[in-house]
């Protein structure tokens, strides 16, 4: 929970003023959708393979991908 204030401080700092509200709404929509899709994906993979490990590896990979995306897309101030 400690990362939430840091995460939600990013959209106002990165988006133009007229797109802050739609940007936050889009981020929230993606988060809610992932809360629905993740359990479905875990159940689907467990049903097809009989093992939950692959589903957790997929989710971990998606989390890593999202972190790398944020790391590469956020401009660094003061770094040439």
């Amino acid at each position: 929970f400690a990362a939430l204030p840091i995460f939600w401080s990013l959209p106002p700092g990165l988006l133009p003023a007229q797109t802050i509200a739609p940007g936050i709404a889009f981020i929230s929509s993606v988060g809610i959708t992932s809360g629905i899709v993740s359990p479905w994906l875990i159940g689907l993979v467990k049903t097809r393979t009989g093992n939950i490990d692959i589903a957790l590896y997929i989710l971990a990979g998606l989390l890593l991908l999202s972190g790398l995306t944020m790391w590469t897309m956020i401009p660094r101030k003061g770094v040439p």
Side-chain angles (χ1 to χ4, degrees):
F1 288 108
L4 288 177
I6 296 169
F7 175 78
W8 286 113
S9 69
L10 291 174
L14 296 174
L15 298 173
Q18 67 271 20
T19 62
I20 292 174
I24 290 173
F26 177 73
I27 292 168
S28 295
S29 299
V30 170
I32 290 169
T33 303
S34 69
I36 295 168
V37 172
S38 296
W40 173 80
L41 177 67
I42 291 172
L44 179 70
V45 171
K46 185 174 185 214
T47 301
R48 297 222 173 148
T49 65
N51 194 349
I52 201 169
D53 293 346
I54 297 170
L56 295 177
Y57 288 136
I58 292 170
L59 292 177
L62 291 172
L63 180 62
L64 181 65
L65 180 65
S66 66
L68 289 172
T69 302
M70 280 190 65
W71 186 48
T72 58
M73 295 297 191
I74 296 175
R76 287 161 182 70
K77 296 181 180 178
V79 179

